[in-house]
């Protein structure tokens, strides 16, 4: 008698990334993609889409699990709330993964009505992953569901050997991240301009809304290199003497530092 082999269908996972598609959240999405086995999971990533576009792609893909990624500021929070509400019309498990930011900086959470609305929203997730103690405490105070909340820190794969390439007469500073006010990139530019040292050099690796303003800078020691990935990004890390993180944004555990 032959044994009948039943092959289970692959689980479909939909990862909804950030609006901008840049920065640490995008890096986190790439990390997730590297750990899913192709023979078990079918993974699709959506980022930079409107709620309507997300819904259309959701309907076509029909996922078993949806992973929402959220950096905590009002615009992104509104996007995630809308996505979760619209996608709740269909059957799937929903996971929320929190990234940088602090809830207490969102003033509306002090309003009892908004707190109830947010409590209702967060209770709709099957699982919530937090990056910091503050996020964990806030979500717990809103949902009162300790069994659905978990702290997970950012992670990277550590290379077996890191070869550093140093230039004897140059002091290379590296800014790695989104070119926005909250990341403090303009502060880095201003600081370098105040230092009179021709051997100092600042590499700015990233993209963002302030790129045009930084490019107007006339200091030849400050170079905007654009977005770099993989091996290209690794070269800058190998050559840098100092990695700077002048962020005014409440970072959790930034990928740039890792």
């Amino acid at each position: 008698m032959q044994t009948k082999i039943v092959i289970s269908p692959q689980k479909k996972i939909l990862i909804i990334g950030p609006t901008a598609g840049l920065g640490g959240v995008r890096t986190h999405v790439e990390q997730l993609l590297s750990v899913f086995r192709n023979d078990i999971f079918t993974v699709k990533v959506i980022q930079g889409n409107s709620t309507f576009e997300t819904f259309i792609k959701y309907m076509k893909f029909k996922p078993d699990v949806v992973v929402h990624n959220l950096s905590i500021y009002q615009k992104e929070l509104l996007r995630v709330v809308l996505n979760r509400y619209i996608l709740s019309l269909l059957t799937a498990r929903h996971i929320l993964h929190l990234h940088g930011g602090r809830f207490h900086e969102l003033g509306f959470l002090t309003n009892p009505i908004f707190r109830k609305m947010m409590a209702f929203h967060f209770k709709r997730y099957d699982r919530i992953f937090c990056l910091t103690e503050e996020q964990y405490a806030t979500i717990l105070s809103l949902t009162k569901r300790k069994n659905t909340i978990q702290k997970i820190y950012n992670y990277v794969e550590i290379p077996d050997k890191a070869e550093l390439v140093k230039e004897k007469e140059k002091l290379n500073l590296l800014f790695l991240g989104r070119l926005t006010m909250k990341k403090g990139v303009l502060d880095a530019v201003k600081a370098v301009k105040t230092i009179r040292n021709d051997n100092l050099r600042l590499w700015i690796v990233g993209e963002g809304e302030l790129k045009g303003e930084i490019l107007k800078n006339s200091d030849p020691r400050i170079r905007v290199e654009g977005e770099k990935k993989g091996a290209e990004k690794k070269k800058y890390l190998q050559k840098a003497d100092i990695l700077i993180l002048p962020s005014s944004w409440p970072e959790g555990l930034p990928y740039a530092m890792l």
Side-chain angles (χ1 to χ4, degrees):
M1 182 177 178
Q2 290 184 333
T3 302
K4 186 177 181 180
I5 300 176
V6 178
I7 301 176
S8 300
Q10 289 184 320
K11 291 291 184 182
K12 292 184 177 181
I13 299 177
L14 178 64
I15 301 175
I16 303 179
T19 301
L22 296 170
V25 183
R26 201 277 307 277
T27 301
H28 175 77
V29 170
E30 292 175 351
Q31 291 287 97
L32 283 179
L33 292 175
S34 69
V35 299
F36 286 119
R37 286 177 50 182
N38 294 333
D39 59 331
I40 299 178
F41 302 103
T42 301
V43 184
K44 184 178 182 65
V45 177
I46 298 176
Q47 55 188 22
N49 293 134
S50 67
T51 297
F52 176 74
E53 291 172 321
T54 298
F55 178 75
I56 296 300
K57 292 181 179 180
Y58 179 101
M59 290 293 293
K60 291 181 179 179
F61 187 56
K62 296 180 180 178
D64 300 290
V65 178
V66 181
V67 182
H68 304 259
N69 290 277
L70 170 65
S71 291
I72 303 169
Y73 57 94
Q74 291 187 18
K75 181 180 177 181
E76 283 296 288
L77 182 59
L78 177 61
R79 175 187 65 84
V80 170
V81 169
L82 288 174
N83 284 344
R84 179 65 186 92
Y85 177 76
I86 296 297
L87 300 186
S88 66
L89 302 176
L90 302 168
T91 303
R93 292 176 63 84
H94 290 265
I95 296 172
L96 176 64
H97 200 128
L98 300 174
H99 299 279
R102 298 191 183 105
F103 280 108
H104 76 259
E105 295 188 355
L106 301 178
F108 61 79
L109 279 182
T110 59
N111 184 301
I113 296 176
F114 279 108
R115 281 189 66 85
K116 288 183 179 180
M117 291 173 62
M118 287 296 98
F120 174 77
H121 169 71
F122 289 125
K123 286 178 181 179
R124 296 167 71 87
Y125 291 97
D126 297 281
R127 181 75 63 175
I128 298 178
F129 296 130
C130 303
L131 183 61
T132 67
E133 292 286 349
E134 189 268 352
Q135 294 172 2
Y136 181 89
T138 301
I139 295 295
L140 182 59
S141 70
L142 290 170
T143 65
K144 306 295 191 294
R145 294 180 178 178
K146 190 173 183 178
N147 61 321
T148 64
I149 313 168
Q150 186 175 350
K151 291 193 295 289
I152 295 184
Y153 300 117
N154 287 337
Y155 62 93
V156 293
E157 185 175 345
I158 300 175
D160 295 330
K161 185 178 181 181
E163 296 181 0
L164 303 180
V165 181
K166 299 300 179 185
E167 298 180 62
K168 292 182 180 179
E169 297 182 357
K170 293 289 184 181
L171 180 63
N172 295 320
L173 309 181
L174 174 62
F175 173 92
L176 184 63
R178 287 181 290 118
L179 309 186
T180 64
M181 291 298 294
K182 289 184 177 181
K183 290 294 183 178
V185 62
L186 292 184
D187 293 330
V189 170
K190 291 176 183 177
V192 169
K193 284 184 174 182
T194 64
I195 302 173
R196 296 181 179 180
N197 185 340
D198 292 336
N199 292 324
L200 184 66
R201 181 164 54 187
L202 171 61
W203 288 321
I204 299 176
V205 176
E207 293 284 348
E209 61 201 44
L210 296 179
K211 183 177 181 179
E213 183 174 346
I214 300 169
L215 286 172
K216 295 177 183 177
N217 161 69
S218 59
D219 193 326
R221 300 173 301 166
I222 300 172
R223 293 161 49 179
V224 180
E225 303 295 322
E227 184 184 10
K228 303 296 179 184
K229 300 179 183 179
E232 282 188 310
K233 181 166 63 176
K234 182 180 177 181
K235 288 180 181 178
Y236 284 93
L237 290 167
Q238 289 174 323
K239 293 180 180 179
D241 295 291
I242 301 174
L243 176 69
I244 59 175
L245 188 74
S247 180
S248 61
W249 167 256
E251 302 279 2
L253 184 61
Y255 275 106
M257 294 296 292
L258 292 176

